[in-house]
Amino acid sequence: MARTPSWSSTGAPASGRRTPAGQNGGSTRRSAPSGGTRRSSSSGAPGGRRPTGRRPQKKGFFDYPRAGKGPIHRWLPSWRVVLGTVLTGMAAVLGVFVVAYATTTVPEPDDFALAQSTTVYYADGTTPMGSFSKVDREVVALNTLPDHVSQAVIASEDRNFYQNNGIDPKGLARALWNNVRGLPTQGGSTLTQQYAERYYTGTTTSYLGKFKETILALKIDQSQTKDEILENYLNTIYFGRGAYGIEKAAQAYFGKPAAELTISESALIAGVIPAPSAWDPAVSPDKAQQRWTRDMNLMLKDGWITQEEHDSAVYPTTIPPNTENAYGGPNGYLLSTVRKELETKAGIPEDEIDTRGLKIVTTINKRDQDAAVEAVDNLPDDRPANNRVSLVSVDPRTGGIVALYGGPDFVSQPRNAATQDVSQAGSMFKPFTLVAALEQDIPLTKTYSSYTPMDVNGWEVNNYDSRNHGRVNLLEATAGSINTAYAQLNVDVGPKNTIDAAVRAGIPENTPGLVADAANVLGPSSPRAIDLATAYATFAAQGVRHDTHIVAEVRDAKNAPVYTGPVEGQQAFDKDVMADTTYALQGPVKTGTAKAVNVLGRPIAGKTGTSSGYMSAGFAGYIPQLATVVTMYQVGADGGEESLSGFGGTKYIGGGQFPAQVWRDYMEVATDGMPVEKFPQPTKKARKPAPAPAVTERPTQQAPTETPTPEPTPTPEPTQTPEPTPTPTPTPTPKPTGPPTDMPTELPTDAPTVPAPGNGNGNGNGDGGQPGSAWGGEWPPGVNS
């Protein structure tokens, strides 16, 4: 009996053998069964059986997962799908590009030059303080400039300028790749893109912004010739020093028209374009010269200059920057501080500050600011010309600066005494040791001996009045600014902990002279006035530290918010520690070295400071709503610090004299109409009565005063002088107009002379002496805290 073969889905024998030609009709191609079209039924199979396999089903529009494929391949798209997707995506991108290109309109070149000035307001948001509108531009024709001017710019900014179509695909791809890898966002901007960015799209690093910039650059390249683009670029780009355009840049840097620029001068100007403020030769000479060398080499490499021209080039000398009159007077220091904060904290580029039409509201209260200026102006007319005064007043609730005096005129004296210059803190530094002690549970009732001179672990310390005050507690030591007591306290606390407290309060770690030795309690370090104001504002805020700032908010030309100043603070110290610190710091104002300021009719805490050799003097004081610091120092002929010269009938200047007077005059106005608030109550430990000192250890003698008094001699005992009667609060008596009258105006003729500063091995600055010396007859007695 013949075996009936099984059949596959194709109708071939299951054995897989091909039917030879001539069999089954003599051909391998099947013919339809007789009687019509062959059906896919069982009758089509020999013997009438249904084939064991299935024919493939007809594919739909989306063949996914793919039929007839293996378990993995059935989930992979076919090459047709991949190709179709890529082509569709490219078509979509091309469509977006075409639409964007067709709908983008290139403004006339003059539209790029239209820049709105930025206005700075006082804290009320309506009273103008000044403006930033440095669009100082003079348009010049390209054909009036030497070829090397434009060639230097091309070599520096866009070496393929004449070959590209307004964009650099390689540069864009490189920038995109860096951005995708998480590197800092950057652009691949050509000279044409820079031109478009500065005055049409605005500075941007977003992908959408760069896309718009690219479209505009292409349109500009199509609508203007290369020379037109180059001319417009040279007349609109910012070169620093307030100069927009090459003509004003040539005048700002070299005092000459652009037509007279040399190759070297052109290379220098071109080199500062990416960062005109940071790379200005007056700001960063090394970087400026580095950029100049780079540009000279590129000009040689690209064939713009010869080897001889390159080798004979000399680095050019620029003229000093010209400060505009808009910065004249005391307000110039405010505007300069605002501008720096906009750049460093708000992240607004310099050219946008000048051209974006911003509305900047500061934290400065105009009434308080005027009072600060007047308080300094009230100083005696014979004050030396090189005597410098700074005042910084801070709202401790927000960190906002309500008044700042950095000098009389920013144009003639551009260095800000409040935010740039430093001076020795003197005994204004002692509260940081006090805070560190309270944090270690050393109470204010802790007592120390106060004889003078005193050897403190090999360090000889003297009191500013060269007197033995007996055994004193920390309240008395603070009120009288007793150096020997505080020196012992700093040894017990640890000088590192004193520094830690100072830094947490607001003194920068990199403050000159801030070192961890026992003498740091007497203030040899030299912080800025604004740093001390930050620290004492932290005390006033009961341990909450804020970022001191001058910009409250920034809005753009459409009144949309751009930036808001920081107002949130962080708790840096325990509130009980601050309450006891403030309690102790009320002593100098009530009975000690700062009695001159106790005229406001409200609680005041503060500390005077006078450095060794009278190199500086100051007063830092606060009420719950306001912290103010005044410092005074003197600049020598070489720009260094020198001893304060006497004036106003006073030979030696201390912190309780003219600095306290300025503080008092300012605060009387600043607190007018301000509610009287009390400080938090101290802890019970602070109010515990101190043990009575032995009578033999603490003789009755004159209360500490701010100005020097003669050193005592072993025999006979110093003449006892009764304590002057405190001046009552001047209500309704007119306010005082000068330094305290109960202080001697000069030292006796036999007072020791002031030697050169010591070698840094000993006493520290502050009230006890210059490093490497102790008073002991070397320094004039009477330097106080």
Side-chain angles (χ1 to χ4, degrees):
M1 180 176 179
R3 183 186 300 269
T4 303
S6 62
W7 292 80
S8 68
S9 61
T10 59
S15 62
R17 290 180 297 177
R18 184 185 296 272
T19 304
Q23 296 182 6
N24 294 329
S27 173
T28 59
R29 183 173 183 178
R30 298 193 190 96
S31 60
S34 59
T37 304
R38 185 164 64 95
R39 299 170 183 248
S40 59
S41 64
S42 60
S43 60
R49 288 190 175 188
R50 180 187 297 272
T52 58
R54 293 185 179 181
R55 296 177 59 86
Q57 297 180 356
K58 184 178 180 181
K59 298 179 182 179
F61 183 77
F62 292 103
D63 181 24
Y64 194 82
R66 300 164 64 193
K69 299 295 182 181
I72 296 179
H73 288 83
R74 65 197 302 261
W75 294 103
L76 299 178
S78 67
W79 65 270
R80 295 181 181 85
V81 173
V82 173
L83 179 60
T85 301
V86 171
L87 293 177
T88 301
M90 293 176 62
V93 172
L94 180 61
V96 171
F97 186 86
V98 170
V99 171
Y101 186 88
T103 56
T104 298
T105 303
V106 180
E108 293 298 322
D110 285 345
D111 292 342
F112 286 101
L114 294 178
Q116 301 182 61
S117 62
T118 289
T119 304
V120 182
Y121 297 91
Y122 286 97
D124 60 11
T126 58
T127 305
M129 177 190 295
S131 63
F132 302 129
S133 56
K134 300 181 181 180
V135 187
D136 189 15
R137 178 185 295 109
E138 181 179 341
V139 177
V140 294
L142 185 65
N143 58 14
T144 65
L145 302 174
D147 291 341
H148 54 251
V149 171
S150 57
Q151 291 165 356
V153 173
I154 291 172
S156 179
E157 293 298 304
D158 187 1
R159 298 173 67 188
N160 295 318
F161 171 69
Y162 284 111
Q163 288 75 42
N164 62 47
N165 294 319
I167 63 173
D168 179 11
K170 291 183 179 179
L172 289 173
R174 181 176 60 252
L176 178 61
W177 175 239
N178 286 337
N179 297 340
V180 168
R181 289 186 296 164
L183 299 179
T185 303
Q186 57 178 256
S189 297
T190 62
L191 187 148
T192 308
Q193 285 177 279
Q194 292 180 47
Y195 170 45
E197 177 187 37
R198 294 296 195 277
Y199 298 98
Y200 187 74
T201 62
T203 301
T204 178
T205 56
S206 68
Y207 294 115
L208 179 59
K210 285 297 180 183
F211 176 73
K212 293 179 179 178
E213 174 190 304
T214 300
I215 296 297
L216 184 58
L218 289 170
K219 295 283 284 191
I220 291 174
D221 192 76
Q222 292 297 314
S223 61
Q224 299 178 23
T225 66
K226 289 293 186 180
D227 284 350
E228 288 175 331
I229 294 172
L230 187 57
E231 180 177 304
N232 291 333
Y233 177 88
L234 291 173
N235 280 311
T236 56
I237 199 70
Y238 182 64
F239 288 90
R241 299 194 177 189
Y244 285 81
I246 189 64
E247 178 66 19
K248 288 298 182 179
Q251 297 174 18
Y253 284 96
F254 299 107
K256 61 172 66 173
E260 299 178 8
L261 289 174
T262 65
I263 293 176
S264 291
E265 293 166 345
S266 301
L268 178 59
I269 289 179
V272 303
I273 289 176
S277 295
W279 296 347
D280 187 322
V283 176
S284 181
D286 292 341
K287 184 64 177 181
Q289 186 161 3
Q290 176 188 341
R291 294 286 298 180
W292 174 81
T293 301
R294 167 189 175 272
D295 293 347
M296 290 297 299
N297 291 338
L298 289 176
M299 291 180 73
L300 174 64
K301 185 175 181 179
D302 293 344
W304 297 119
I305 59 176
T306 65
Q307 186 70 52
E308 181 181 358
E309 290 172 324
H310 175 274
D311 295 344
S312 62
V314 178
Y315 183 70
T317 301
T318 59
I319 62 176
N322 179 32
T323 306
E324 297 185 356
N325 290 333
Y327 287 85
N331 274 13
Y333 301 96
L334 301 178
L335 294 173
S336 175
T337 304
V338 168
R339 189 179 190 91
K340 183 176 181 180
E341 192 166 301
L342 291 173
E343 294 178 20
T344 58
K345 293 186 178 180
I348 302 176
E350 184 178 3
D351 55 346
E352 288 194 17
I353 294 174
D354 294 329
T355 63
R356 195 173 167 185
L358 302 173
K359 177 182 178 181
I360 301 168
V361 179
T362 69
T363 58
I364 299 295
N365 181 294
K366 189 177 188 310
R367 184 195 66 171
D368 295 355
Q369 179 63 28
D370 292 343
V373 175
E374 184 178 1
V376 178
D377 290 344
N378 284 341
L379 290 170
D381 293 337
D382 62 340
R383 182 165 67 101
N386 60 340
N387 179 283
R388 302 284 187 264
V389 177
S390 71
L391 182 150
V392 182
S393 190
V394 176
D395 184 343
R397 299 163 297 185
T398 64
I401 301 172
V402 299
L404 183 148
Y405 182 88
D409 179 49
F410 185 79
V411 174
S412 60
Q413 186 180 308
R415 191 162 181 86
N416 193 324
T419 64
Q420 292 179 290
D421 284 353
V422 299
S423 59
Q424 296 174 31
S427 288
M428 289 185 288
F429 208 82
K430 285 177 180 173
F432 304 125
T433 300
L434 180 63
V435 169
L438 292 171
E439 288 186 322
Q440 297 179 28
D441 291 328
I442 298 177
L444 294 177
T445 54
K446 171 79 172 178
T447 61
Y448 289 97
S449 298
S450 67
Y451 61 86
T452 182
M454 178 183 291
D455 183 279
V456 181
N457 291 354
W459 168 36
E460 186 178 285
V461 186
N462 278 267
N463 292 328
Y464 75 88
D465 56 4
S466 298
R467 294 179 180 179
N468 178 5
H469 294 267
R471 194 159 188 87
V472 296
N473 61 32
L474 294 182
L475 288 170
E476 295 167 315
T478 303
S481 195
I482 301 174
N483 294 335
T484 52
Y486 260 94
Q488 296 170 80
L489 177 64
N490 197 32
V491 171
D492 290 346
V493 167
K496 288 185 178 180
N497 293 320
T498 292
I499 291 180
D500 176 67
V503 171
R504 281 186 287 145
I507 303 299
E509 292 184 72
N510 62 350
T511 297
L514 189 62
V515 294
D517 60 28
N520 64 19
V521 65
L522 301 184
S525 58
S526 298
R528 303 173 301 168
I530 196 171
D531 300 328
L532 283 171
T534 300
Y536 276 76
T538 301
F539 296 162
Q542 294 306 298
V544 178
R545 176 181 169 179
H546 294 83
D547 288 336
T548 303
H549 60 281
I550 195 172
V551 177
E553 68 171 0
V554 179
R555 291 182 174 271
D556 63 16
K558 296 181 180 180
N559 208 36
V562 175
Y563 171 77
T564 301
V567 295
E568 299 297 327
Q570 294 184 342
Q571 193 75 41
F573 300 101
D574 180 79
K575 291 183 179 181
D576 286 344
V577 170
M578 288 292 98
D580 286 358
T581 299
T582 297
Y583 181 59
L585 289 178
Q586 293 177 70
V589 177
K590 291 179 179 179
T591 62
T593 57
K595 290 185 295 183
V597 306
N598 194 21
V599 297
L600 301 183
R602 63 177 70 227
I604 302 171
K607 191 72 188 71
T608 54
T610 308
S611 65
S612 300
Y614 297 93
M615 304 298 283
S616 61
F619 177 68
Y622 59 92
I623 62 175
Q625 306 101 306
L626 200 60
T628 303
V629 169
V630 177
T631 63
M632 181 178 288
Y633 58 97
Q634 194 160 305
V635 179
D638 61 352
E641 195 175 15
E642 67 179 20
S643 295
L644 288 165
S645 300
F647 62 92
T650 301
K651 185 174 182 180
Y652 293 97
I653 309 299
Q657 294 169 297
F658 290 120
Q661 173 191 322
V662 172
W663 191 96
R664 177 194 67 201
D665 291 349
Y666 162 76
M667 289 292 285
E668 283 194 315
V669 177
T671 59
D672 185 29
M674 185 181 292
V676 176
E677 293 185 10
K678 295 182 179 180
F679 290 119
Q681 288 294 315
T683 63
K684 292 181 179 180
K685 289 189 300 182
R687 290 177 288 177
K688 180 181 179 181
V695 176
T696 57
E697 191 177 46
R698 189 173 181 178
T700 303
Q701 50 191 311
Q702 181 179 355
T705 57
E706 182 66 17
T707 49
T709 54
E711 282 190 335
T713 56
T715 56
E717 289 294 322
T719 302
Q720 305 300 313
T721 304
E723 180 176 350
T725 302
T727 303
T729 302
T731 53
T733 307
K735 69 179 182 179
T737 57
T741 57
D742 60 343
M743 296 182 179
T745 57
E746 63 178 41
L747 291 173
T749 56
D750 61 349
T753 57
V754 179
N759 58 19
N761 296 324
N763 198 35
N765 293 340
D767 302 330
Q770 195 77 358
S773 69
W775 279 10
E778 293 185 32
W779 292 101
V783 180
N784 79 338
S785 62

